[in-house]
Amino acid sequence: MKPADFIKINPADGVVVCLRPMRKGEKITVDGKEITLLQDTPVGHKVLLQDTPEGQDIIKYGYPIGHARHDLKAGEWVNENNLKTNLSGTLEYTYRPVDETLSIADEHRTFQGYLRATGEVGIRNEIWVVPTVGCVNGIAENLVERLKAETRLEGIDAIHAWHHNYGCSQLSGDHENTRKVLRDIVLHPNAGAVLVLSLGCENNQPDEFEKLLGDYDKSRIRFLITQQVEGDEVEEGMRILRELYAIAREDKRTSQPLSKLRVGLKCGGSDGLSGITANPLVGEFSDYLVAQGGTSVLTEVPEMFGAETILMNRCKTVELFDQTVSMINNFKEYFLSHGEPVGENPSPGNKAGGISTLEDKALGCTQKCGRAPVSGVLEYGDRLQEPGLNLLSAPGNDLVAATALASAGCQLVLFTTGRGTPFGTFVPTMKISTNSRLFQNKPNWIDFNAGQLVEGTDMKDLLGQFVEKIIATANGQPTRNEVNGYREISIFKNGVTL
């Protein structure tokens, strides 16, 4: 099939999206009407299909993405200079449930994972050092480097220290956010063993933090309070780590149902093709996984603004609807309490790639969660309880959101991008490019190319390839961020620092 020059995403849309750079004076025919382009228009950007007066909504994905700042002519390039968001403050919502039946074959797929005593399954078997406070980051890194040198990673997948700046000088909500995320990391099934490393005098007191872990496996999770060590705390840490290594290295992969897989859904460096290629592909996989009894998690609450009613009406119950309304409005209040508008999200890179308003971004962003019903809503730092599609309260920031997804219990984050990014969080972070140019230019960053969807490849065929790639990753094939060693955590902060 010959690649198209443009695409009209929804029959109701008032724009088409260019799939190649188009020149002023070119003519396109849409729904039997010939339109002449009035400006050069870059790939991923929008061309208006009819004359539009000032103030009238412009439709994309079948929904308004803002309104015209002034009178516009058919054939004009629609961008942030002539399109203005409709978003403002908090809203009242009405529950109008939508029950969309998914026609996805139940294939009963499996992967090779590490079954933990909790019943959870890891897709990696790593040893982690988790500081309770940033003061001991250096000691943590020293321990990790020494253990790597001693063991040469024989029998395990990796050894990491998860640095952060917190654990002290924080109050109330920020302090609890730090404690919950660190708890979630310690209990994550991708870790075969964990050393919790403390200073001793921090606000995040180790004895109180230990209570937060609940009934944990004391043979695989050990504590070291450095101020209480008489002598060299590094030698004591190494003694404990050698014991943990001896346990973790005996773990073996076994066949596990795909229902045990939990993936986070994230996008960053988005462009005008994100909602056409990579995000719909991830959405198809999300539905496929949910049909297998697995779990997917959508976050980036500010990037739901403008598309939130779609998610609200897919909630299974009115209680979940109410929780989603609170999640959306609470995040809007967070913006407003800092004197910031709720609709100024798109970055310079987003705009350069063809995203003009937050609604434009949100309607593309939310396609990552497919069409499955919403079965759970999580606060920041909560751990997954329900299989199926879950919504998670966290900001859009790439590092913070990806960390939050992993903290919820996702063993893998699927990260779509049109501009490209190298980072990864503390679980494998698979990059899916929206366009082939990025895939070709940054093979050291990108794991999978969804740009093929506008080059003649069928969605069903590409989904099959994508499923195999994800299962291979779950089986142990490293993602590009793992190969590069680009892994870190970032914890959400709202309040003062003491």
Side-chain angles (χ1 to χ4, degrees):
M1 180 187 297
K2 179 185 176 183
D5 294 329
F6 60 88
I7 185 171
K8 187 178 183 184
I9 302 169
N10 185 284
D13 287 357
V15 296
V16 294
V17 177
C18 297
L19 300 181
R20 64 166 175 82
M22 303 192 76
R23 306 295 296 177
K24 177 181 178 180
E26 283 195 62
K27 297 182 185 299
I28 61 175
T29 301
V30 184
D31 299 331
K33 178 182 177 182
E34 186 177 81
I35 296 167
T36 302
L37 272 66
L38 302 182
Q39 296 95 15
D40 292 347
T41 306
V43 63
H45 284 251
K46 300 172 288 293
V47 174
L48 193 63
L49 297 180
Q50 62 270 324
D51 294 351
T52 303
E54 179 181 352
Q56 182 171 307
D57 283 345
I58 292 177
I59 308 299
K60 181 183 176 187
Y61 301 107
Y63 294 88
I65 58 169
H67 61 269
R69 291 178 182 267
H70 51 77
D71 292 348
L72 298 175
K73 296 290 186 181
E76 285 206 52
W77 170 18
V78 178
N79 55 51
E80 67 276 10
N81 298 311
N82 53 28
L83 179 66
K84 185 174 177 59
T85 180
N86 291 329
L87 295 173
S88 54
T90 58
L91 299 172
E92 294 184 3
Y93 298 94
T94 302
Y95 184 37
R96 297 184 175 90
V98 174
D99 184 9
E100 188 167 0
T101 302
L102 303 180
S103 56
I104 300 174
D106 185 2
E107 298 180 339
H108 301 289
R109 297 296 300 273
T110 62
F111 67 98
Q112 297 295 309
Y114 296 96
L115 181 62
R116 305 303 184 190
T118 59
E120 295 181 289
V121 175
I123 67 170
R124 297 292 183 269
N125 189 40
E126 301 180 346
I127 295 176
W128 295 348
V129 179
V130 179
T132 58
V133 65
C135 306
V136 293
N137 284 344
I139 298 173
E141 188 60 44
N142 191 348
L143 289 168
V144 163
E145 292 306 314
R146 286 188 58 177
L147 189 62
K148 285 181 181 178
E150 274 192 21
T151 65
R152 299 180 181 177
L153 303 181
E154 292 180 6
I156 58 173
D157 293 316
I159 304 171
H160 286 284
W162 300 119
H163 296 171
H164 61 92
N165 299 328
Y166 304 129
C168 214
S169 302
Q170 291 184 294
L171 300 172
S172 59
D174 282 350
H175 181 60
E176 286 308 304
N177 283 344
T178 294
R179 281 164 39 87
K180 288 194 293 184
V181 168
L182 295 180
R183 171 204 63 191
D184 298 344
I185 294 173
V186 170
L187 296 176
H188 199 281
N190 280 10
V194 178
L195 173 61
V196 180
L197 186 68
S198 297
L199 182 60
C201 59
E202 62 267 35
N203 290 126
N204 186 20
Q205 281 288 290
D207 55 345
E208 291 299 315
F209 180 71
E210 184 176 11
K211 294 176 184 176
L212 201 62
L213 300 181
D215 184 17
Y216 68 94
D217 187 343
K218 293 180 174 58
S219 67
R220 291 178 180 264
I221 299 173
R222 301 281 298 276
F223 280 73
L224 176 62
I225 304 172
T226 57
Q227 287 178 341
Q228 295 180 5
V229 175
E230 294 183 4
D232 190 342
E233 67 283 344
V234 174
E235 288 303 325
E236 178 62 14
M238 287 302 299
R239 183 188 67 79
I240 297 172
L241 284 172
R242 291 183 188 108
E243 293 174 359
L244 292 173
Y245 170 71
I247 295 171
R249 69 176 301 180
E250 298 302 317
D251 294 342
K252 305 298 180 187
R253 291 184 183 270
T254 57
S255 181
Q256 301 295 329
L258 205 61
S259 59
K260 292 289 189 178
L261 189 63
R262 301 176 297 200
V263 301
L265 312 174
K266 178 74 182 82
C267 55
S270 300
D271 66 1
L273 295 180
S274 292
I276 297 170
T277 59
N279 289 353
L281 175 63
V282 169
E284 290 287 335
F285 175 77
S286 176
D287 287 343
Y288 176 89
L289 180 62
V290 169
Q292 299 277 313
T295 302
S296 63
V297 186
L298 181 71
T299 188
E300 304 177 274
V301 175
E303 297 180 20
M304 299 176 187
F305 298 166
E308 70 269 37
T309 58
I310 299 172
L311 300 173
M312 291 173 182
N313 293 333
R314 283 165 52 188
C315 289
K316 284 185 173 180
T317 66
V318 68
E319 290 78 16
L320 290 169
F321 166 80
D322 290 338
Q323 291 174 41
T324 305
V325 170
S326 295
M327 180 181 71
I328 295 292
N329 279 336
N330 288 346
F331 236 100
K332 287 185 175 181
E333 290 287 0
Y334 162 62
F335 276 61
L336 296 170
S337 70
H338 286 71
E340 301 294 343
V342 301
E344 295 301 320
N345 179 285
S347 69
N350 294 152
K351 294 173 182 176
I355 295 174
S356 307
T357 62
L358 182 48
E359 297 101 308
D360 193 357
K361 189 174 186 179
L363 288 162
C365 171
T366 53
Q367 292 192 51
K368 296 193 303 295
C369 67
R371 295 168 290 131
V374 174
S375 60
V377 179
L378 304 173
E379 294 294 327
Y380 181 81
D382 284 355
R383 304 186 75 224
L384 281 162
Q385 302 294 325
E386 298 292 332
L389 174 63
N390 284 252
L391 306 179
L392 168 64
S393 183
N397 177 273
D398 290 350
L399 277 68
V400 175
T403 301
L405 289 167
S407 297
C410 297
Q411 307 107 318
L412 171 69
V413 172
L414 303 180
F415 191 107
T416 66
T417 181
R419 313 291 289 182
T421 182
F423 97 101
T425 188
F426 69 92
V427 301
T429 309
M430 181 187 293
K431 306 296 169 37
I432 303 104
S433 65
T434 70
N435 60 85
S436 295
R437 181 180 178 185
L438 174 61
F439 181 73
Q440 292 157 5
N441 288 347
K442 287 294 184 183
N444 56 323
W445 291 0
I446 305 300
D447 297 276
F448 194 87
N449 178 25
Q452 301 170 72
L453 286 171
V454 293
E455 297 169 352
T457 301
D458 181 74
M459 173 65 85
K460 182 179 179 180
D461 293 338
L462 196 61
L463 175 61
Q465 298 174 37
F466 192 46
V467 169
E468 297 306 322
K469 178 67 174 179
I470 289 170
I471 290 177
T473 301
N475 289 344
Q477 183 182 95
T479 54
R480 299 310 304 171
N481 80 285
E482 291 181 286
V483 172
N484 294 329
Y486 301 155
R487 305 182 65 181
E488 55 191 296
I489 67 170
S490 184
I491 302 173
F492 184 53
K493 180 182 182 301
N494 180 31
V496 301
T497 298
L498 298 177

